[in-house]
Amino acid sequence: MGTVVIQPVDRAGFWAVLAAYDYKQGGETYKVSQLYLNDAGLLRTVTGSSAEGEKGACVNAMREFIRYLAD
């Protein structure tokens, strides 16, 4: 696992933290995004990953969903 970059994310009425890092397995590198959400005192996570170098519309939509829409 590489360096983890974190940042707070604005969600109306509760806190959230976005984390991103690289994960290596079997000679492949994956870009991972994880959103940690406070849901009435319970921790929920939304996770997405893609192979390094993937830049398709689906990958971009997944990253935007995790960053801006998931709650």
Side-chain angles (χ1 to χ4, degrees):
M1 189 163 98
T3 301
V4 178
V5 178
I6 60 170
Q7 67 184 58
V9 177
D10 184 28
R11 294 291 191 267
F14 55 94
W15 62 263
V17 175
L18 180 65
Y21 58 90
D22 292 346
Y23 178 76
K24 294 183 180 188
Q25 181 176 0
E28 296 289 329
T29 300
Y30 300 92
K31 301 283 187 185
V32 181
S33 298
Q34 291 185 305
L35 181 66
Y36 296 87
L37 300 158
N38 174 18
D39 182 8
L42 299 174
L43 178 64
R44 293 190 311 127
T45 61
V46 178
T47 302
S49 66
S50 62
E52 185 175 50
E54 282 290 320
K55 299 192 187 293
C58 182
V59 172
N60 291 334
M62 178 231 5
R63 289 184 180 146
E64 286 184 18
F65 173 79
I66 291 172
R67 182 177 180 97
Y68 299 110
L69 301 173
D71 63 8

